Amino acid sequence: MTTLSGKTALVTGSTSGIGLGIALSLAKAGANLILNGFGDASKVIAEVELLNNKSGGKVGHHPADVSDPAQIADMIAYAEREFGGIDILVNNAGIQHVAPVEEFPVERWDSIIAINLSSVFHSTRLSLPGMRAKGWGRIINIASVHGQVGSVGKAAYVAAKHGVIGLTKVVGLETATTNVTCNAICPGWVLTPLVQKQIDDRIAKGIDPQQAQHDLLAEKQPSLEFVTPPQLGELVLFLCSEAGSQVRGAAWNIDGGWLAQ
Ligand code: NAD
């Protein structure tokens, strides 16, 4: 099992869903955790503390809104001050909005690009110097299958996630001769609040809840099963391990077969 004792991980958007699952896996592996995200973080902090008590790790939460570069800078400064810097950066915070391109609200486009794409640039540029100085680091960007293919109604999300994969390749190349790696993970459907909202939209049209979930999977995900946050957490641990050290600039699918079609 990978031990990350003594390392500090920042997971953006870790008060819910995938980010929370990844944070729990990293805490189980012994890492110190900096949580981030909206909502009441106290339950999440308590959950991570329980795991960290066993491994001696430390936990903190920074409430940065990652659509604001100044707040990201404040979060990285907090990490340096309180934890001695970031070893593992997981860029996970993200939002979705579904509408045809002609009707896509301009302010939703702007916030999806800011949160799902530009935040990855800002947290990377601000944490990379510390990783280079320490001689080790992992940058893991939670992209999506939508970083590689499109779906109707998701113009901003698909554009942002394609951008994340492009940025990942460049950072992977710029760090290629160092012990810092940068990779993207591309999940298919994961049953989180972000996806539940899309199931609820189908239910609102009169479709039975079980049927709505089945239809969502059947349209895209051949396994007909959701990917789970713990499975994503295990993939993050692999990318943090010695065995993962030559995976660089990759976009790693974990999608129940979505992209094999
Ligand atoms: P979620 O809605 O459950 O969680 C999103 C998290 O991001 C929350 O903690 C929220 O507070 C935080 N967040 C949102 N806006 C923020 C902001 N401006 N500043 C700071 N934090 C913010 O969603 P999820 O499904 O767990 O998605 C997490 C990531 O995984 C996203 O990048 C998403 O695009 C990606 N993803 C999700 C799926 C899926 O099927 N759920 C599939 C592929 C990729």
Side-chain angles (χ1 to χ4, degrees):
M1 187 179 150
T2 311
T3 178
L4 297 174
S5 159
K7 306 266 192 244
T8 294
L10 165 62
V11 185
T12 67
S14 44
T15 49
S16 170
I18 293 172
L20 174 55
I22 291 172
L24 295 177
S25 294
L26 288 164
K28 265 189 220 155
N32 299 319
L33 249 300
I34 302 172
L35 302 163
N36 158 258
F38 297 148
D40 179 10
S42 57
K43 257 180 71 182
V44 178
I45 291 171
E47 230 179 310
V48 173
E49 259 170 358
L50 206 67
L51 295 170
N52 271 358
N53 282 345
K54 290 186 196 147
S55 63
K58 180 177 163 187
V59 59
H61 173 262
H62 192 283
D65 175 341
V66 300
S67 67
D68 177 1
Q71 292 188 42
I72 296 176
D74 193 59
M75 180 164 63
I76 307 294
Y78 160 81
E80 276 160 12
R81 206 170 52 243
E82 301 291 329
F83 289 80
I86 297 163
D87 304 288
I88 301 161
L89 170 66
V90 182
N91 286 306
N92 166 79
I95 58 167
Q96 175 65 285
H97 185 82
V98 182
V101 72
E102 320 89 289
E103 292 159 27
F104 212 93
V106 172
E107 67 282 4
R108 297 300 285 172
W109 169 276
D110 288 344
S111 52
I112 289 176
I113 298 300
I115 294 166
N116 295 17
L117 174 58
S118 299
S119 78
V120 181
F121 162 65
H122 294 299
S123 56
T124 299
R125 74 179 170 82
L126 292 166
S127 54
L128 193 48
M131 291 179 184
R132 284 191 194 275
K134 287 186 185 192
W136 192 92
R138 294 287 184 268
I139 300 171
I140 299 167
N141 299 325
I142 307 305
S144 167
V145 287
H146 285 118
Q148 302 187 55
V149 293
S151 285
V152 292
K154 298 186 176 174
Y157 188 85
V158 168
K161 294 298 187 181
H162 274 68
V164 167
I165 291 180
L167 174 60
T168 301
K169 288 176 181 168
V170 172
V171 178
L173 290 174
E174 290 184 3
T175 53
T177 58
T178 74
N179 286 326
V180 178
T181 70
C182 177
N183 292 289
I185 292 178
C186 299
W189 292 124
V190 187
L191 190 54
T192 66
L194 183 143
V195 164
Q196 187 59 48
K197 194 172 166 294
Q198 295 171 61
I199 295 171
D200 291 345
D201 289 344
R202 291 168 188 248
I203 296 169
K205 288 179 188 148
I207 298 166
D208 165 74
Q210 283 289 96
Q211 189 63 40
Q213 212 178 83
H214 176 271
D215 291 351
L216 181 100
L217 285 167
E219 281 167 18
K220 303 278 186 181
Q221 198 144 303
S223 66
L224 301 179
E225 286 180 24
F226 289 102
V227 180
T228 68
Q231 289 167 345
L232 290 161
E234 288 295 319
L235 181 50
V236 166
L237 293 188
F238 168 71
L239 291 173
C240 291
S241 73
E242 178 52 32
S245 63
Q246 286 310 322
V247 183
R248 294 175 184 270
W252 192 306
N253 312 338
I254 170 165
D255 64 358
W258 183 319
L259 292 176
Q261 298 167 99

